Amino acid sequence: MAMLTVENLEASYGAVKALHGISIEVAEGELVALLGVNGVGKSTTLKSISGVLRPVKGTITFLGEPITNKTPERIVRRGISLVPEGREIFGSLTVEENLRLGAFSVYKRDRYKADLEEVFEIFPILKDRFHQAGGLLSGGEQQMLAIARALMAHPKLLMLDEPSLGLSPAMTDQIFALIDSLRERGSTILLVEQNAERALEIVDRAYLLANGAVEFAGTAEELRRKVDIASVYFGDEDATDSCEVTQ
Amino acid sequence: MIDLEFVINTLSLGSLYALLALGLVLVYGILKLVNFAYGEYVMVGGYALYIAATLLGMPWYVTLVIAVLAAVVVSYLTELVAFRPVRNKSANAQIITSFAVSIFLQNVVLILISSRARAVQLPFFFSKTVTIAGATTPVRNLLIIAVTAVLLVTLSVVMKKTVLGMAMRAASDKFTTTRLMGVPANLVISAAFLISGLLAGVASIFWVSRSASVDPLTGAAPLLIAFIAVVIGGMHSTVGAVVGGFVYGLIFNLLSITLPASMISYRDAFMFVLVVLFLLFRPAGIIKGGYTEERVG
Amino acid sequence: MSVMTRVSALVRRHSTLAILLVPLIVAGIAVNTFGSQLLIDMYTYFCVSLCMVFAVQMFMGNSGILSWTHIGFVGIGAYAAGILSTAPAVKSMGVPNMYPMLVDLNLPVLPSILIGGLVAAAVAAVIGYPLMRLSDFAGVITLFATLIVIHVVMTQWDNVTNGPRTFFGVPDWTTITVGIIAAILVILLAYWFRESALGLRLRATRDDRYAAAAIGIDMVLVRYLTFVVSALVAGIAGGLWAHYITSFSPKAFYMSEMFLLLSMLVIGGSGSISGAFSGTVIVTVARELLRQLESWINNAHVLSFEVYGLTELVMALLMVLVLVWRPGGVIGGQELRWPLIKRSGKDTTPAEEGQAAA
C-alpha cells in the first residue's frame, strides 16, 4: 500500500490555478521525483502536502489517514517533513538552534543527543559550524543544515524542494550523493528537481508535470527511454511522441 | 545640568519606555501586526491596580500581581477573540481590528467605571525619596531601573536558552518555516501576546505611579511612546526596541531641559518631527535586524 | 446612433455611477421635500461624510496604505476656510489672540472653501514626500504620528485656531443642495481618478511594488501626487463641514473621527467606489441608530446608571465582526454594475478578494 496518496489535487494562488488535479503515490522506501519546468506546480504540490497551502480540491492520504487541510505543524507530527525551496534556514539562529527546532515535535533528551551524533556523521561540516549563525553558512552548508534539520524530526517521508538550486556543480554532486545515501538508509523521499537528468540517475520512479497536471509517470528507466527530457526543458514539442508538452 | 539626577531620571524613563517598546515589538515581530490596542493593556493594568488597591484595599504586593495578571489576561484574550480570527486577513484589516479593540476596551471602562480619572493607591514606598551621592530621587525611579534590568535579563535568557524562545525568534524570522518544524502557530503567537501583556502590566504600575491616577485614555500615551521608541530603535529586532526606548527617554529629557518654556507644549510634536526626520535618513531604525516582509497567513 | 442609444451606452458603461448617484440624488430630493429639518441636517452631514470618505478612498483605496493623516487635512481645510469666511468682528471676539492680519481677511464662502483645500494640499505637499517612502510598520506609524503633530499644532497655536477652545461664528452655508452637489463631484473625481493614468500606476504599486518598479513606475512619486490631491479633496470636505457645523474645536479632527472614516472604508471595502459609498451609508445609519438608542436608554432611565460610549463600543464590535466575516468589506472590492444581480457572491474569484483585502 502506498504510504502517501495524493488524489485529484487542485490548488490556486488567488485567481491563478496552479494545480489541475494531480494524483501521485509514494510507497514506503521509495525515492520518487516530481520533474518539470518552472511553474508547473511541483513546489505547489509539496506545499499542499505539507499543509503550507490549502488545496482547493482533492484528498491527501498519509499512512491510511487523510491529512488534507491539516496545519503544517500537525502534518510534521504525522511524519512528513519538508525541506523548503531556498532552504529557509533561520539565519539569526545558530546551527545548534536550527537543529534543535528541527527536533521540536519529537524531542526527547537522550534521543536528541544520539540524533545529533548521527547527523554529524552524515554532515561532518555541521559539527564544525555548530555554534555559528545559520545565515553565515555557505549555500551548500545551508542546504545540508536544512536537510539535517528536517531529519531531526525523524520523518517517515522526507520531501525535498529543489535541493540543488543555486549550488555549485561539485556541491550538487554532493547533495545528490547524500540523497542517494539517505535512500540506502531506508528513508522514503519525495524529491522535486529541475535537474531532471541528475534526478533520474538516483530515483526509483518519477512524475513529469506539465501545466499543473501529471503528464507522464513511470520508473526512471521508462522516463528516460520514452521522454526526451531535453525537449521538455527546451520546449521542442516535436521531439516527444508519448508526451506532448505545451509551454 | 547633566548630573547624577539627570542620569537616574533618564535611565528610569528609558527603562519604562524600553519595556513598552519591547512589548509592542514582540508581537509585531511575529505577527507583523501593529497593535493599536497595546496601550489599553497598560490602561487595564492601571484599572486593576485601582480596583485592587483603592477599592478593595488589598496589600500592596497582591495589588501589583493583580495589575500584571490583568494586563496579561486581557492581552491574551484580545489575541484569542479578535486577532486570531483576522490573522490571515490583510495588514490593514488587522490594524483596524486592533484599533477597534482599543476603542472597545476604552469604552468598556468608560461604561463600567467612569470617564473621570480615578486615584490609584500605590505602595507606600514608591514616592519616598532617597539621596544617592547628592542626587535626590523617588524610590520608584530606582525600582523601575532594577525591575527592567531583571526583566530584560530574564527575557533574553528565555529567548536564548529555551526552545520556546528559539521558536519565537525563528517565527519572527520565517513564520511558515517555523511551523514546518512542528511548532504550532498558536503557541508562539500566544506566547508573544502573553509576554507583551506581562511587559505592559509591569509598565502600567510605573506609568500609573507617575500621576497616581488612571482614566480611560491612559493607554494613549504609552502606545505612542512605544511606537516612537520602536521606530527609533528599529521594528525588526527586540534589541532595537530596548535601545529605542532608552534613546527616546534621553531625547525626551534633553528636550525638557533645553526647550524654552513657551515651547514645552510642542514637545510631543517635536518628538514626532524628530522621528520623521530620523526615518528619512534611516528607515530601518538604529538596529536593522533581519528584515523580512513575510506576513503570517 | 441616436442620442438615446448613446446615452444608454454611456450609462451602461458607467453603470456603477448611475447605481450610486441616482439614489443619492433622488433620496436627497425626497428628504429635502418631505423630510424634517433633522433629517435634512442628517442627509447634509451624510453628503459631507461622503466627501471625506472619498478623499481618503482616493489615497488608501488605490495605494493600499492605511492613512491616519487625512482627518488632519480635513481640519486644516476647516480652519483655513473658517478663518477666511468668518466676519472680522466675529473673529476678533471669538479668537482673542488671532493675528491681526488673519482677522482682517474676509472672502465669500465658496472661494474660502477652495482656498482651504489648497492650504491642506500645500501642507500635504510639504510634509508628504518623506512619508510616502515608508511602508509597513514605519509607514503606518509615521502617518499616525503626523496626525498627532497636526493635532498638537491645532490645539497649541491659539493665534490661529483659538487653541483647544471652540472656533465659532462660521457662516452656515452648506445646505443639503450644496452637500449633494459636492458629494456627486467628489464621487465623480474618485471614479475618474481610479481609472486615470495616475490611479492605475498607483494601483500597480499597491498590487506588486517590485513589478511596478520594474516597468518604470516611481512608487514614491505616484503615492506623493495622490497624497496631495486627496489632501486637497479632504481640505475642501473640511471647509464644507465647517460651513455646515459652524463651530468646532481641534478634537473634531482626531483619532476617533479618523477611525470612523476608516471604518466606513473598511466596512464597505476601500478598494472600490461602491464599497466606500455603501460603507458610508452603513456606518452613518448604524451610528445614528446607536446614538438614538443610547440617548433613549439614558433618558428613559432603563438602567440605573447613564451609559456613555455605547455607540463607540458597538461600532467597534461591528467593525471586528465585518472584518472577520468579510475582510474585503461588505461589497468585497468589486464595483456594483448593472444588472445588479448577475452572479452570486460565491462566484467572487479569490483574486478579487485578494485585491480588496490589499
Side-chain angles (χ1 to χ4, degrees), chain B residues 90 92 95-97 99-100 103 107 111 224 265 272 279-280 291, chain C residues 64 66 68 133 136 142 148-149 156 259 308-309 312 319 323 357:
Chain B
S90 73
N92 285 350
I95 291 171
I96 293 290
T97 302
F99 205 86
I103 289 189
N107 285 286
I111 291 175
L224 294 177
S265 50
F272 289 121
L279 281 169
L280 258 180
Y291 187 84
Chain C
L66 190 75
W68 293 97
R133 290 181 28 175
D136 301 335
T142 39
I148 294 167
V149 173
Q156 301 299 330
F259 175 69
Y308 292 106
E312 285 73 16
M319 295 260 340
L323 289 170

PDB file of all heavy atoms in Angstrom, chain B residues 90 92 95-97 99-100 103 107 111 224 265 272 279-280 291, chain C residues 64 66 68 133 136 142 148-149 156 259 308-309 312 319 323 357:
ATOM      1  N   SER B  90      -5.849  40.987   5.514  1.00  0.00           N
ATOM      2  CA  SER B  90      -4.839  41.961   5.109  1.00  0.00           C
ATOM      3  C   SER B  90      -4.283  42.722   6.313  1.00  0.00           C
ATOM      4  O   SER B  90      -4.901  42.770   7.374  1.00  0.00           O
ATOM      5  CB  SER B  90      -5.457  42.967   4.136  1.00  0.00           C
ATOM      6  OG  SER B  90      -6.309  43.847   4.832  1.00  0.00           O
ATOM      7  N   ASN B  92      -4.039  45.881   6.690  1.00  0.00           N
ATOM      8  CA  ASN B  92      -4.915  46.991   7.062  1.00  0.00           C
ATOM      9  C   ASN B  92      -6.085  46.507   7.903  1.00  0.00           C
ATOM     10  O   ASN B  92      -6.481  47.167   8.864  1.00  0.00           O
ATOM     11  CB  ASN B  92      -5.433  47.698   5.817  1.00  0.00           C
ATOM     12  CG  ASN B  92      -4.378  48.572   5.178  1.00  0.00           C
ATOM     13  OD1 ASN B  92      -3.322  48.790   5.775  1.00  0.00           O
ATOM     14  ND2 ASN B  92      -4.639  49.047   3.985  1.00  0.00           N
ATOM     15  N   ILE B  95      -4.842  46.064  11.394  1.00  0.00           N
ATOM     16  CA  ILE B  95      -4.619  47.323  12.114  1.00  0.00           C
ATOM     17  C   ILE B  95      -5.951  47.903  12.575  1.00  0.00           C
ATOM     18  O   ILE B  95      -6.100  48.330  13.729  1.00  0.00           O
ATOM     19  CB  ILE B  95      -3.860  48.322  11.222  1.00  0.00           C
ATOM     20  CG1 ILE B  95      -2.437  47.839  11.007  1.00  0.00           C
ATOM     21  CG2 ILE B  95      -3.860  49.706  11.842  1.00  0.00           C
ATOM     22  CD1 ILE B  95      -1.669  48.633   9.988  1.00  0.00           C
ATOM     23  N   ILE B  96      -6.934  47.886  11.672  1.00  0.00           N
ATOM     24  CA  ILE B  96      -8.253  48.411  12.032  1.00  0.00           C
ATOM     25  C   ILE B  96      -8.846  47.591  13.170  1.00  0.00           C
ATOM     26  O   ILE B  96      -9.445  48.142  14.099  1.00  0.00           O
ATOM     27  CB  ILE B  96      -9.181  48.387  10.796  1.00  0.00           C
ATOM     28  CG1 ILE B  96      -8.691  49.372   9.751  1.00  0.00           C
ATOM     29  CG2 ILE B  96     -10.605  48.717  11.179  1.00  0.00           C
ATOM     30  CD1 ILE B  96      -8.866  50.806  10.129  1.00  0.00           C
ATOM     31  N   THR B  97      -8.647  46.284  13.118  1.00  0.00           N
ATOM     32  CA  THR B  97      -9.134  45.442  14.209  1.00  0.00           C
ATOM     33  C   THR B  97      -8.515  45.866  15.531  1.00  0.00           C
ATOM     34  O   THR B  97      -9.212  46.004  16.539  1.00  0.00           O
ATOM     35  CB  THR B  97      -8.792  43.967  13.936  1.00  0.00           C
ATOM     36  OG1 THR B  97      -9.368  43.589  12.695  1.00  0.00           O
ATOM     37  CG2 THR B  97      -9.335  43.073  15.038  1.00  0.00           C
ATOM     38  N   PHE B  99      -7.319  48.689  16.331  1.00  0.00           N
ATOM     39  CA  PHE B  99      -7.846  49.991  16.767  1.00  0.00           C
ATOM     40  C   PHE B  99      -9.254  49.831  17.334  1.00  0.00           C
ATOM     41  O   PHE B  99      -9.613  50.456  18.334  1.00  0.00           O
ATOM     42  CB  PHE B  99      -7.852  50.992  15.604  1.00  0.00           C
ATOM     43  CG  PHE B  99      -7.796  52.412  16.059  1.00  0.00           C
ATOM     44  CD1 PHE B  99      -6.585  53.019  16.315  1.00  0.00           C
ATOM     45  CD2 PHE B  99      -8.953  53.131  16.267  1.00  0.00           C
ATOM     46  CE1 PHE B  99      -6.525  54.330  16.758  1.00  0.00           C
ATOM     47  CE2 PHE B  99      -8.906  54.445  16.716  1.00  0.00           C
ATOM     48  CZ  PHE B  99      -7.686  55.038  16.957  1.00  0.00           C
ATOM     49  N   ALA B 100     -10.043  48.962  16.701  1.00  0.00           N
ATOM     50  CA  ALA B 100     -11.389  48.710  17.204  1.00  0.00           C
ATOM     51  C   ALA B 100     -11.327  48.089  18.599  1.00  0.00           C
ATOM     52  O   ALA B 100     -12.110  48.452  19.488  1.00  0.00           O
ATOM     53  CB  ALA B 100     -12.146  47.793  16.247  1.00  0.00           C
ATOM     54  N   ILE B 103     -10.640  50.868  21.037  1.00  0.00           N
ATOM     55  CA  ILE B 103     -11.836  51.674  21.318  1.00  0.00           C
ATOM     56  C   ILE B 103     -12.810  50.883  22.187  1.00  0.00           C
ATOM     57  O   ILE B 103     -13.424  51.420  23.116  1.00  0.00           O
ATOM     58  CB  ILE B 103     -12.494  52.097  19.988  1.00  0.00           C
ATOM     59  CG1 ILE B 103     -11.593  53.134  19.316  1.00  0.00           C
ATOM     60  CG2 ILE B 103     -13.889  52.658  20.225  1.00  0.00           C
ATOM     61  CD1 ILE B 103     -12.209  53.786  18.132  1.00  0.00           C
ATOM     62  N   ASN B 107     -14.073  52.012  25.926  1.00  0.00           N
ATOM     63  CA  ASN B 107     -15.477  52.269  26.219  1.00  0.00           C
ATOM     64  C   ASN B 107     -16.043  51.310  27.250  1.00  0.00           C
ATOM     65  O   ASN B 107     -17.013  51.637  27.930  1.00  0.00           O
ATOM     66  CB  ASN B 107     -16.296  52.261  24.929  1.00  0.00           C
ATOM     67  CG  ASN B 107     -16.069  53.538  24.137  1.00  0.00           C
ATOM     68  OD1 ASN B 107     -16.558  54.593  24.512  1.00  0.00           O
ATOM     69  ND2 ASN B 107     -15.280  53.463  23.087  1.00  0.00           N
ATOM     70  N   ILE B 111     -17.956  52.812  30.370  1.00  0.00           N
ATOM     71  CA  ILE B 111     -19.317  52.446  30.773  1.00  0.00           C
ATOM     72  C   ILE B 111     -19.331  51.846  32.177  1.00  0.00           C
ATOM     73  O   ILE B 111     -20.165  52.192  32.997  1.00  0.00           O
ATOM     74  CB  ILE B 111     -19.923  51.457  29.749  1.00  0.00           C
ATOM     75  CG1 ILE B 111     -20.184  52.177  28.432  1.00  0.00           C
ATOM     76  CG2 ILE B 111     -21.207  50.847  30.280  1.00  0.00           C
ATOM     77  CD1 ILE B 111     -20.671  51.276  27.320  1.00  0.00           C
ATOM     78  N   LEU B 224       1.854  55.619  22.119  1.00  0.00           N
ATOM     79  CA  LEU B 224       2.643  56.493  21.250  1.00  0.00           C
ATOM     80  C   LEU B 224       4.122  56.380  21.576  1.00  0.00           C
ATOM     81  O   LEU B 224       4.965  56.351  20.683  1.00  0.00           O
ATOM     82  CB  LEU B 224       2.186  57.944  21.429  1.00  0.00           C
ATOM     83  CG  LEU B 224       0.770  58.188  20.940  1.00  0.00           C
ATOM     84  CD1 LEU B 224       0.361  59.620  21.217  1.00  0.00           C
ATOM     85  CD2 LEU B 224       0.686  57.891  19.460  1.00  0.00           C
ATOM     86  N   SER B 265       4.932  72.958  25.347  1.00  0.00           N
ATOM     87  CA  SER B 265       3.676  72.304  24.948  1.00  0.00           C
ATOM     88  C   SER B 265       3.794  71.675  23.562  1.00  0.00           C
ATOM     89  O   SER B 265       2.974  70.856  23.177  1.00  0.00           O
ATOM     90  CB  SER B 265       2.534  73.308  24.986  1.00  0.00           C
ATOM     91  OG  SER B 265       2.891  74.468  24.285  1.00  0.00           O
ATOM     92  N   PHE B 272       7.790  63.858  17.392  1.00  0.00           N
ATOM     93  CA  PHE B 272       7.344  63.193  16.171  1.00  0.00           C
ATOM     94  C   PHE B 272       8.081  63.712  14.951  1.00  0.00           C
ATOM     95  O   PHE B 272       8.405  62.957  14.039  1.00  0.00           O
ATOM     96  CB  PHE B 272       5.836  63.356  16.001  1.00  0.00           C
ATOM     97  CG  PHE B 272       5.063  62.561  16.994  1.00  0.00           C
ATOM     98  CD1 PHE B 272       4.178  63.172  17.864  1.00  0.00           C
ATOM     99  CD2 PHE B 272       5.244  61.196  17.078  1.00  0.00           C
ATOM    100  CE1 PHE B 272       3.486  62.434  18.790  1.00  0.00           C
ATOM    101  CE2 PHE B 272       4.547  60.453  18.006  1.00  0.00           C
ATOM    102  CZ  PHE B 272       3.669  61.073  18.861  1.00  0.00           C
ATOM    103  N   LEU B 279      13.547  58.830  10.327  1.00  0.00           N
ATOM    104  CA  LEU B 279      13.187  57.789   9.368  1.00  0.00           C
ATOM    105  C   LEU B 279      13.653  58.126   7.959  1.00  0.00           C
ATOM    106  O   LEU B 279      13.926  57.255   7.148  1.00  0.00           O
ATOM    107  CB  LEU B 279      11.683  57.579   9.375  1.00  0.00           C
ATOM    108  CG  LEU B 279      11.165  56.748  10.537  1.00  0.00           C
ATOM    109  CD1 LEU B 279       9.669  56.814  10.618  1.00  0.00           C
ATOM    110  CD2 LEU B 279      11.624  55.315  10.390  1.00  0.00           C
ATOM    111  N   LEU B 280      13.731  59.450   7.691  1.00  0.00           N
ATOM    112  CA  LEU B 280      14.213  59.880   6.388  1.00  0.00           C
ATOM    113  C   LEU B 280      15.601  59.342   6.117  1.00  0.00           C
ATOM    114  O   LEU B 280      15.914  58.914   5.014  1.00  0.00           O
ATOM    115  CB  LEU B 280      14.298  61.406   6.373  1.00  0.00           C
ATOM    116  CG  LEU B 280      13.181  62.137   5.670  1.00  0.00           C
ATOM    117  CD1 LEU B 280      13.431  63.622   5.751  1.00  0.00           C
ATOM    118  CD2 LEU B 280      13.118  61.684   4.233  1.00  0.00           C
ATOM    119  N   TYR B 291      15.640  41.625   8.233  1.00  0.00           N
ATOM    120  CA  TYR B 291      14.433  42.239   7.701  1.00  0.00           C
ATOM    121  C   TYR B 291      13.671  41.252   6.824  1.00  0.00           C
ATOM    122  O   TYR B 291      14.195  40.744   5.867  1.00  0.00           O
ATOM    123  CB  TYR B 291      14.797  43.477   6.887  1.00  0.00           C
ATOM    124  CG  TYR B 291      13.604  44.261   6.437  1.00  0.00           C
ATOM    125  CD1 TYR B 291      13.009  45.197   7.273  1.00  0.00           C
ATOM    126  CD2 TYR B 291      13.034  44.026   5.190  1.00  0.00           C
ATOM    127  CE1 TYR B 291      11.893  45.906   6.877  1.00  0.00           C
ATOM    128  CE2 TYR B 291      11.928  44.726   4.787  1.00  0.00           C
ATOM    129  CZ  TYR B 291      11.369  45.672   5.619  1.00  0.00           C
ATOM    130  OH  TYR B 291      10.263  46.374   5.228  1.00  0.00           O
TER     131      TYR B 291
ATOM    132  N   GLY C  64      -3.297  51.313  -1.043  1.00  0.00           N
ATOM    133  CA  GLY C  64      -3.249  50.242  -0.048  1.00  0.00           C
ATOM    134  C   GLY C  64      -2.644  50.682   1.267  1.00  0.00           C
ATOM    135  O   GLY C  64      -2.468  49.869   2.166  1.00  0.00           O
ATOM    136  N   LEU C  66      -2.768  52.512   4.781  1.00  0.00           N
ATOM    137  CA  LEU C  66      -3.749  52.969   5.759  1.00  0.00           C
ATOM    138  C   LEU C  66      -3.322  54.357   6.234  1.00  0.00           C
ATOM    139  O   LEU C  66      -2.269  54.501   6.836  1.00  0.00           O
ATOM    140  CB  LEU C  66      -3.772  51.991   6.928  1.00  0.00           C
ATOM    141  CG  LEU C  66      -4.891  52.179   7.929  1.00  0.00           C
ATOM    142  CD1 LEU C  66      -6.192  51.677   7.341  1.00  0.00           C
ATOM    143  CD2 LEU C  66      -4.584  51.423   9.193  1.00  0.00           C
ATOM    144  N   TRP C  68      -3.816  57.620   8.519  1.00  0.00           N
ATOM    145  CA  TRP C  68      -4.473  58.267   9.651  1.00  0.00           C
ATOM    146  C   TRP C  68      -4.488  59.777   9.479  1.00  0.00           C
ATOM    147  O   TRP C  68      -5.124  60.492  10.221  1.00  0.00           O
ATOM    148  CB  TRP C  68      -3.738  57.939  10.959  1.00  0.00           C
ATOM    149  CG  TRP C  68      -3.826  56.518  11.348  1.00  0.00           C
ATOM    150  CD1 TRP C  68      -2.896  55.543  11.120  1.00  0.00           C
ATOM    151  CD2 TRP C  68      -4.908  55.877  12.025  1.00  0.00           C
ATOM    152  NE1 TRP C  68      -3.351  54.354  11.599  1.00  0.00           N
ATOM    153  CE2 TRP C  68      -4.573  54.530  12.172  1.00  0.00           C
ATOM    154  CE3 TRP C  68      -6.133  56.328  12.511  1.00  0.00           C
ATOM    155  CZ2 TRP C  68      -5.407  53.608  12.796  1.00  0.00           C
ATOM    156  CZ3 TRP C  68      -6.959  55.416  13.137  1.00  0.00           C
ATOM    157  CH2 TRP C  68      -6.600  54.075  13.267  1.00  0.00           C
ATOM    158  N   ARG C 133       7.776  57.438   1.373  1.00  0.00           N
ATOM    159  CA  ARG C 133       8.858  56.465   1.167  1.00  0.00           C
ATOM    160  C   ARG C 133       8.686  55.240   2.032  1.00  0.00           C
ATOM    161  O   ARG C 133       9.260  54.195   1.777  1.00  0.00           O
ATOM    162  CB  ARG C 133      10.203  57.107   1.508  1.00  0.00           C
ATOM    163  CG  ARG C 133      10.630  58.147   0.533  1.00  0.00           C
ATOM    164  CD  ARG C 133      11.977  58.717   0.906  1.00  0.00           C
ATOM    165  NE  ARG C 133      12.797  57.756   1.642  1.00  0.00           N
ATOM    166  CZ  ARG C 133      14.049  57.982   1.989  1.00  0.00           C
ATOM    167  NH1 ARG C 133      14.621  59.097   1.647  1.00  0.00           N
ATOM    168  NH2 ARG C 133      14.727  57.084   2.659  1.00  0.00           N
ATOM    169  N   ASP C 136       4.844  49.474   5.486  1.00  0.00           N
ATOM    170  CA  ASP C 136       4.741  48.612   6.659  1.00  0.00           C
ATOM    171  C   ASP C 136       4.578  49.403   7.954  1.00  0.00           C
ATOM    172  O   ASP C 136       3.923  50.417   8.010  1.00  0.00           O
ATOM    173  CB  ASP C 136       5.976  47.686   6.767  1.00  0.00           C
ATOM    174  CG  ASP C 136       6.112  46.829   5.534  1.00  0.00           C
ATOM    175  OD1 ASP C 136       5.094  46.592   4.887  1.00  0.00           O
ATOM    176  OD2 ASP C 136       7.246  46.425   5.235  1.00  0.00           O
ATOM    177  N   THR C 142       4.225  56.548  11.044  1.00  0.00           N
ATOM    178  CA  THR C 142       4.544  57.947  10.754  1.00  0.00           C
ATOM    179  C   THR C 142       3.295  58.706  10.310  1.00  0.00           C
ATOM    180  O   THR C 142       3.129  59.871  10.657  1.00  0.00           O
ATOM    181  CB  THR C 142       5.624  58.070   9.672  1.00  0.00           C
ATOM    182  OG1 THR C 142       5.396  57.076   8.696  1.00  0.00           O
ATOM    183  CG2 THR C 142       6.988  57.915  10.255  1.00  0.00           C
ATOM    184  N   ILE C 148      -0.889  63.297  14.856  1.00  0.00           N
ATOM    185  CA  ILE C 148      -0.692  63.828  16.202  1.00  0.00           C
ATOM    186  C   ILE C 148       0.006  65.186  16.146  1.00  0.00           C
ATOM    187  O   ILE C 148      -0.364  66.118  16.856  1.00  0.00           O
ATOM    188  CB  ILE C 148       0.088  62.817  17.058  1.00  0.00           C
ATOM    189  CG1 ILE C 148      -0.784  61.585  17.264  1.00  0.00           C
ATOM    190  CG2 ILE C 148       0.488  63.415  18.401  1.00  0.00           C
ATOM    191  CD1 ILE C 148      -0.061  60.403  17.803  1.00  0.00           C
ATOM    192  N   VAL C 149       0.983  65.297  15.250  1.00  0.00           N
ATOM    193  CA  VAL C 149       1.671  66.581  15.107  1.00  0.00           C
ATOM    194  C   VAL C 149       0.671  67.658  14.682  1.00  0.00           C
ATOM    195  O   VAL C 149       0.620  68.749  15.263  1.00  0.00           O
ATOM    196  CB  VAL C 149       2.820  66.476  14.081  1.00  0.00           C
ATOM    197  CG1 VAL C 149       3.420  67.843  13.823  1.00  0.00           C
ATOM    198  CG2 VAL C 149       3.885  65.513  14.573  1.00  0.00           C
ATOM    199  N   GLN C 156      -2.380  73.962  20.043  1.00  0.00           N
ATOM    200  CA  GLN C 156      -1.460  74.885  20.704  1.00  0.00           C
ATOM    201  C   GLN C 156      -1.380  76.254  20.029  1.00  0.00           C
ATOM    202  O   GLN C 156      -1.035  77.236  20.672  1.00  0.00           O
ATOM    203  CB  GLN C 156      -0.049  74.278  20.769  1.00  0.00           C
ATOM    204  CG  GLN C 156       0.034  72.956  21.503  1.00  0.00           C
ATOM    205  CD  GLN C 156      -0.385  73.060  22.949  1.00  0.00           C
ATOM    206  OE1 GLN C 156      -0.229  74.088  23.592  1.00  0.00           O
ATOM    207  NE2 GLN C 156      -0.950  71.983  23.491  1.00  0.00           N
ATOM    208  N   PHE C 259     -10.971  57.226  12.818  1.00  0.00           N
ATOM    209  CA  PHE C 259     -11.363  55.818  12.924  1.00  0.00           C
ATOM    210  C   PHE C 259     -12.721  55.610  12.270  1.00  0.00           C
ATOM    211  O   PHE C 259     -12.948  54.606  11.588  1.00  0.00           O
ATOM    212  CB  PHE C 259     -11.409  55.383  14.388  1.00  0.00           C
ATOM    213  CG  PHE C 259     -11.909  53.982  14.574  1.00  0.00           C
ATOM    214  CD1 PHE C 259     -11.131  52.910  14.150  1.00  0.00           C
ATOM    215  CD2 PHE C 259     -13.135  53.727  15.141  1.00  0.00           C
ATOM    216  CE1 PHE C 259     -11.580  51.619  14.302  1.00  0.00           C
ATOM    217  CE2 PHE C 259     -13.590  52.431  15.295  1.00  0.00           C
ATOM    218  CZ  PHE C 259     -12.813  51.381  14.877  1.00  0.00           C
ATOM    219  N   TYR C 308     -22.483  56.079  28.633  1.00  0.00           N
ATOM    220  CA  TYR C 308     -21.822  56.844  27.587  1.00  0.00           C
ATOM    221  C   TYR C 308     -20.819  55.920  26.934  1.00  0.00           C
ATOM    222  O   TYR C 308     -20.213  55.107  27.607  1.00  0.00           O
ATOM    223  CB  TYR C 308     -21.112  58.071  28.164  1.00  0.00           C
ATOM    224  CG  TYR C 308     -22.104  59.072  28.683  1.00  0.00           C
ATOM    225  CD1 TYR C 308     -22.276  59.231  30.054  1.00  0.00           C
ATOM    226  CD2 TYR C 308     -22.871  59.824  27.809  1.00  0.00           C
ATOM    227  CE1 TYR C 308     -23.196  60.132  30.542  1.00  0.00           C
ATOM    228  CE2 TYR C 308     -23.793  60.724  28.290  1.00  0.00           C
ATOM    229  CZ  TYR C 308     -23.959  60.875  29.662  1.00  0.00           C
ATOM    230  OH  TYR C 308     -24.875  61.754  30.136  1.00  0.00           O
ATOM    231  N   GLY C 309     -20.665  56.052  25.640  1.00  0.00           N
ATOM    232  CA  GLY C 309     -19.682  55.214  24.968  1.00  0.00           C
ATOM    233  C   GLY C 309     -20.269  53.942  24.393  1.00  0.00           C
ATOM    234  O   GLY C 309     -19.563  53.158  23.781  1.00  0.00           O
ATOM    235  N   GLU C 312     -19.804  53.909  20.538  1.00  0.00           N
ATOM    236  CA  GLU C 312     -18.454  53.566  20.108  1.00  0.00           C
ATOM    237  C   GLU C 312     -18.176  52.091  20.327  1.00  0.00           C
ATOM    238  O   GLU C 312     -17.560  51.422  19.504  1.00  0.00           O
ATOM    239  CB  GLU C 312     -17.423  54.412  20.866  1.00  0.00           C
ATOM    240  CG  GLU C 312     -17.331  55.848  20.421  1.00  0.00           C
ATOM    241  CD  GLU C 312     -18.515  56.695  20.854  1.00  0.00           C
ATOM    242  OE1 GLU C 312     -19.262  56.263  21.759  1.00  0.00           O
ATOM    243  OE2 GLU C 312     -18.715  57.781  20.283  1.00  0.00           O
ATOM    244  N   MET C 319     -17.237  46.504  13.636  1.00  0.00           N
ATOM    245  CA  MET C 319     -16.068  46.546  12.754  1.00  0.00           C
ATOM    246  C   MET C 319     -15.346  45.227  12.752  1.00  0.00           C
ATOM    247  O   MET C 319     -15.006  44.680  11.709  1.00  0.00           O
ATOM    248  CB  MET C 319     -15.068  47.599  13.240  1.00  0.00           C
ATOM    249  CG  MET C 319     -15.551  48.974  13.192  1.00  0.00           C
ATOM    250  SD  MET C 319     -14.970  49.860  11.795  1.00  0.00           S
ATOM    251  CE  MET C 319     -13.591  49.004  11.242  1.00  0.00           C
ATOM    252  N   LEU C 323     -14.854  42.572   9.692  1.00  0.00           N
ATOM    253  CA  LEU C 323     -13.512  42.199   9.244  1.00  0.00           C
ATOM    254  C   LEU C 323     -13.319  40.697   9.272  1.00  0.00           C
ATOM    255  O   LEU C 323     -12.650  40.125   8.418  1.00  0.00           O
ATOM    256  CB  LEU C 323     -12.457  42.890  10.113  1.00  0.00           C
ATOM    257  CG  LEU C 323     -12.355  44.383   9.867  1.00  0.00           C
ATOM    258  CD1 LEU C 323     -11.482  45.037  10.899  1.00  0.00           C
ATOM    259  CD2 LEU C 323     -11.788  44.634   8.484  1.00  0.00           C
ATOM    260  N   ALA C 357      -8.637  42.962  -0.250  1.00  0.00           N
ATOM    261  CA  ALA C 357      -8.013  42.919   1.063  1.00  0.00           C
ATOM    262  C   ALA C 357      -6.745  43.751   1.107  1.00  0.00           C
ATOM    263  O   ALA C 357      -6.284  44.147   2.159  1.00  0.00           O
ATOM    264  CB  ALA C 357      -7.690  41.473   1.423  1.00  0.00           C
TER     265      ALA C 357
END
